[in-house]
Amino acid sequence: LDRSAALGSLLPGVGRASEALCREARDSVSARRQLALVLDQHDTLVEILEQPQLASSCVRNGLFDEVLELDAAASARAATHPDIPVLVRVACDVRATLDEMRQRLLSKLAGTLTLPEALHTVGLLRRLPPSHLLSEAHLRASFLRNRTLHLHRCRLALPPAADDPVDHLLKWLELCRV
């Protein structure tokens, strides 16, 4: 009888311990499921987290259309899930590369360009999101300033008119034509 009473007094403690063990097991199973889900989505997560680095690399390599696509995808994902801070941060980081892209496009206008390249560059500048977009007047002024700068540099590279005026004039006309 004494022994059964002692065992009876231990049962509530054993019950509480078994309930705690069951709770801990449920928590472990839940954590394991979450980790399995993360592992299943690992490639997608890595792809999302690498978008800012990819956008920066695309800007450095002159792949400006791809940068705009990456920005659109990251912004759409962040707008769809504004409660997920990682997605919002990735979108902000991708958006930050657009400043460098705009600067590279503007400086590209000061270099040697064919007409289709110049039109494509201006088109890219017009496709920038509103926070990075230049006003039409500013875009026109930048275009004219950069093309004038290029023309001036090329004019300085022409042979002097005193040496051969006909050759100088032909090269000047060719320069203005291009």
Side-chain angles (χ1 to χ4, degrees):
L1 198 54
D2 252 352
R3 202 170 172 157
S4 65
L7 283 175
S9 66
L10 292 176
L11 283 178
V14 170
R16 283 191 299 274
S18 68
E19 288 172 6
L21 180 64
C22 285
R23 274 193 307 274
E24 191 175 320
R26 275 193 302 271
D27 292 344
S28 294
V29 167
S30 174
R32 187 176 186 283
R33 278 191 200 125
Q34 287 177 344
L35 289 174
L37 180 62
V38 168
L39 187 59
D40 287 344
Q41 299 298 322
H42 178 266
D43 292 338
T44 304
L45 291 171
V46 168
E47 183 179 309
I48 289 170
L49 294 174
E50 286 181 344
Q51 279 185 340
Q53 182 181 3
L54 181 60
S56 180
S57 179
C58 286
V59 168
R60 282 192 308 274
N61 293 319
L63 303 171
F64 302 120
D65 289 309
E66 286 76 5
V67 176
L68 291 174
E69 288 175 18
L70 282 170
D71 177 60
S75 296
R77 193 176 295 114
T80 304
H81 304 286
D83 54 326
I84 301 175
V86 171
L87 296 179
V88 174
R89 181 66 191 171
V90 165
C92 288
D93 290 347
V94 170
R95 182 70 40 109
T97 62
L98 295 178
D99 283 330
E100 182 185 353
M101 179 178 145
R102 182 179 61 202
Q103 290 305 85
R104 285 188 181 245
L105 288 169
L106 288 172
S107 66
K108 188 176 177 181
L109 289 174
T112 304
L113 286 176
T114 62
L115 180 61
E117 290 171 333
L119 292 174
H120 182 68
T121 301
V122 170
L124 288 169
L125 285 166
R126 284 188 172 138
R127 286 177 42 207
L128 287 172
S131 59
H132 294 82
L133 189 60
L134 299 172
S135 69
E136 189 63 28
H138 190 258
L139 180 61
R140 287 178 182 183
S142 295
F143 178 82
L144 291 174
R145 182 179 52 249
N146 287 330
R147 295 313 297 159
T148 302
L149 179 65
H150 172 67
L151 188 62
H152 179 69
R153 275 194 234 129
C154 290
R155 187 178 58 94
L156 291 176
L158 288 177
D163 294 344
D164 186 5
V166 174
D167 186 47
H168 179 79
L169 185 59
L170 288 174
K171 290 191 184 215
W172 176 248
L173 288 173
E174 179 65 22
L175 180 65
C176 290
R177 187 184 66 79
V178 176

